Structures are given as structure tokens and as C-alpha cells.
Amino acid sequence: MSTLDLGSEFVPVRIAVLTVSDSRDFSDDRSGRLLVERIVAADHIVADRKIIEDDRSHIAAQLKLWIDAENVDVIISTGGTGLTGRDVTVEAHRDVYEKEIDAFAAVFAVISMQKIGTSAVQSRATAGVARGTYLFALPGSPGACADAWDNILKMQLDYRHRPCNFVEIMPRLAETKRRK
């Protein structure tokens, strides 16, 4: 079972939040606001926050900008992970992934099943790594964002989480860059 090693020092992570929506702005972006609140409450750093339209090339371009930014360790997007024609966030994420974190989708599905039953099959939440940056694509509902943060990301983005966490391997994510 997982535990929190309170003898280890907390390491804040710099997180960018991207809301994908054709209709939201900062005043009514409940999912983006929820993520920012949870990031701050966990003592991490909100490196940036943007809202962008449901356009695959625009989403991928923003992800690439943040991947290249020195002040971003993690990108969390919300919205555009469903099944409709405008839902292209997953494809945009996969356009930039070097490695996909397959188990993220599986764990998220298990958590979602407990809350919304078989409706969880409609989510295409995904995660991956690109050039040393973690990327997570969450559904657009505040409930789904809360579930992902509270049950997965809060722990995996805490260096003190045992037996392992995403933060402790961050320095090794870009090992291929050093070999070139």
C-alpha cells in the first residue's frame, strides 16, 4: 500500500493548466479553476494557465511551447477527451508524446467506474511524457478533474509518496537528450 514519507522533503512541481473549450473563458472555467486551486493547496506552482479552442494543431502547439519552457514540469489539460467530432485533445497529446503512460488511463477508468459506473467507458483520459515533461489529459468535468487530482496526481506528484512517484524520476526523463 502507498504511504507518505514525512521524513523526506516536499519538492514543489511547476504545473501548467490548459482548458480546451470553444465556449469557456476564465470566468466560467470551473475545471481549470478547480485544478489551479488543488495545485496551489498541494503547495505546487501554477506555471501558466490558458484556455484554447478545440483544435488539434493549436492544442499540440501549446503543449510543445510548454514542453520547451524551462519553468514547466507538468502539463494538465482538461476538456476534449470525449467521443464527439470536436474532441481532439487526446490526439493532440499523442502527437507530442514520446512515451504514453498507459496505466494512467486504466487507473482513471477504475476510479471513474466507482463514481459514474459504465459511463466511464466514454472517457479517453490519457497521459504521457515528452522531453522530460509529464502531460495529462483529463475530461472537462470538474468531477473528473477532482477524481484525477485527488486519487492519482496529488500522490504521484508528491516526492514523498512511496513506494514510488513521478517526481523522483523527473531528472531521468530526458536521459536521451544527454546521449545525443
Side-chain angles (χ1 to χ4, degrees):
M1 199 62 165
S2 65
T3 61
L4 199 60
D5 177 5
L6 297 176
S8 293
E9 186 176 334
F10 178 79
V11 176
V13 177
R14 301 164 298 184
I15 304 170
V17 176
L18 179 65
T19 298
V20 177
S21 175
D22 289 332
S23 60
R24 299 271 181 237
D25 61 33
F26 287 113
S27 70
D28 63 357
D29 175 21
R30 293 179 23 219
S31 295
R33 185 171 41 256
L34 179 142
L35 288 168
V36 166
E37 290 168 358
R38 289 214 172 24
I39 290 164
V40 170
D43 293 326
H44 293 297
I45 299 159
V46 177
D48 201 358
R49 179 180 176 200
K50 294 203 180 308
I51 298 176
I52 196 164
E53 68 276 0
D54 292 278
D55 179 279
R56 183 175 177 169
S57 63
H58 293 158
I59 298 165
Q62 182 59 57
L63 296 174
K64 289 175 186 175
L65 284 173
W66 280 336
I67 288 166
D68 290 337
E70 291 292 322
N71 69 324
V72 175
D73 303 309
V74 175
I75 301 166
I76 304 174
S77 69
T78 175
T81 63
L83 301 173
T84 71
R86 297 289 293 156
D87 292 324
V88 295
T89 301
V90 173
E91 289 75 17
H93 270 250
R94 289 182 174 147
D95 287 344
V96 301
Y97 288 168
E98 292 169 354
K99 294 183 179 185
E100 193 159 353
I101 306 171
D102 298 317
F104 178 83
V107 172
F108 182 77
V110 168
I111 292 164
S112 295
M113 277 285 295
Q114 295 169 355
K115 304 277 177 106
I116 62 172
T118 60
S119 295
V121 302
Q122 294 186 32
S123 172
R124 297 184 307 134
T126 185
V129 177
R131 295 194 310 278
T133 303
Y134 288 110
L135 299 98
F136 302 94
L138 309 180
S141 78
C145 289
D147 289 344
W149 180 267
D150 295 345
N151 297 290
I152 304 171
L153 296 175
K154 180 180 177 182
M155 291 167 279
Q156 281 299 299
L157 295 176
D158 190 330
Y159 180 76
R160 303 167 300 170
H161 184 263
R162 300 291 177 251
C164 59
N165 60 76
F166 288 139
V167 180
E168 66 188 345
I169 61 172
M170 278 179 152
R172 298 180 49 214
L173 292 178
E175 287 175 331
T176 57
K177 284 198 274 190
R178 289 193 300 261
R179 285 190 234 143
K180 293 181 180 179

